[in-house]
Amino acid sequence: MSDQTAQSDSTTSRGVPGGRPAPTESAGGVSRRGLLRAAGASAAVVGGGGLLEACSSSIKGASASSTASASASTAGNITIAWIHPLTGALAGFGAADNWVISKIQQTSPYKNGFKVGGKTYSVTIKSYDTQSSVTRAGDLAHQAILTDGADLLLASSTPETVNAVASTAETLGTPLICANCPWESWYLNLFPTGNPQHATETAKYVTLYFLGAEHLVECFIPMWNRIHAQLHTDKVVAAAFPNDSDGNAFRAVFPPIAAGAGYKMVLSSPYPDGTTNYSSMISQFKSAGADFFTNVPLPPDFATMWKQSVQQGFKPKLATVAKVLLFPTDAYALGPLAYNIATDTWWVPTLPWTSTFTGETCQQMATEYEAASGTQWNANISNYSLFEAAHAAFTTVGDPHDKNEVADAIHKVNIHALAGPLNFASGGPAPGVAITPPAGVQWQKGTGKYPLEMQIVDNSLLPQAKITADLNPTNT
């Protein structure tokens, strides 16, 4: 294996087990504008056909892994660019991503090449770290398309990453498969005047698999019901929704569905991301006598808000949070304050799905990840399916460099993947959207090697997920 590093103010993705970044080094001769555009991406080139240049221009940045030797036996190369947060406030979402790349590199199609139109094409995966920056995500999408020759983009993890990439891909006519972004936010970003309740517009170049805001409230309600039956609550839910893409979608979707189940929502004012003082919001929730709490903040904002809630005596009987405490590192950072906080997950080891490449089960993947990373399984192991969908699309076209043909192909993908059934042609809640429903989970005090353990406590929307523990009140 050969590898070369050339990067600018960035983190290298080398398929390191557990997603730990490799050291960095500076690239010389890069303009200030070029540096800003390339920052967050890194270069590590791996392959049997010798060293490859990470970027064709003087801007160095993408981590490029050649998974099939570019020899006389191949007809050319397919470049897949993955834009995702590996560092910064959203780093928890990317914690498993380098491990996912290392697993994908070992599969036969990515190691030996894609068979397209009777020919075999080597495959290069380029990984771009957004550093959790919305602006950087869009800039890196431009770089991947216009400078680095990407044939297909992948984007994952929150609207802060996915929406900027989706807008760029649709504008520049490059196929893109997205994951881990609530579909309503994704849809309204592409179609600002659209109606999620009657979503008919089709993005020509972009598809998505994930859940929606409606699935989250429908995941939380059964847990609220169980705590209500146990503790006889007032069925009032405090909701802290920020003034951002997720918050705006949740403000529109959560209240009517909650009301239909008999719950009254007390909404905070739409607060800016990065808020540091939540005293007025906490006072509002206490005055309302709210026994339940829900939100959809950036992870650092929740840590600040929750600590202030404890200090100021707001102790809901059950906290059901979205977008935060999804991954072990975020839960560990809160320590005992995370005990019995509930959230959602779209992938668990007990699901019956398997890899379309190797037949490995979800449990086998989780076990291997834990051994490699030294930490608990991570729901974003399911990002593996971005590459399953990519392979399924490319192998149905005649020319992998014809972006219109590839765009049509990704909209026809219908596979049973590690993330579950993915059918972009089903019509979904919107054209090009495949839903992966969530299970209800709760962080409980560890009983073994981990200080906190994610337990599956409700499977109303995902009955294939095995229940592993009873739901506990967050506070009594």
Side-chain angles (χ1 to χ4, degrees), residues 309-331:
S309 295
V310 172
Q311 293 166 356
Q312 297 175 35
F314 175 52
K315 297 182 178 180
K317 290 181 172 61
L318 184 66
T320 49
V321 299
K323 197 173 179 176
V324 295
L325 298 189
L326 297 170
F327 311 111
T329 51
D330 295 332

Side-chain angles (χ1 to χ4, degrees), residues 41-111:
S42 55
V45 186
V46 184
L51 296 177
L52 301 173
E53 285 299 323
C55 307
S56 59
S57 73
S58 62
I59 301 174
K60 302 298 181 181
S63 164
S65 301
S66 172
T67 54
S69 175
S71 65
S73 63
T74 62
N77 183 72
I78 293 170
T79 298
I80 298 174
W82 188 8
I83 300 173
H84 49 159
L86 299 175
T87 57
L90 300 174
F93 285 86
D97 287 357
N98 284 338
W99 181 85
V100 165
I101 291 175
S102 73
K103 286 292 292 182
I104 289 296
Q105 289 171 344
Q106 297 168 31
T107 66
S108 178
Y110 281 87
K111 181 164 56 176

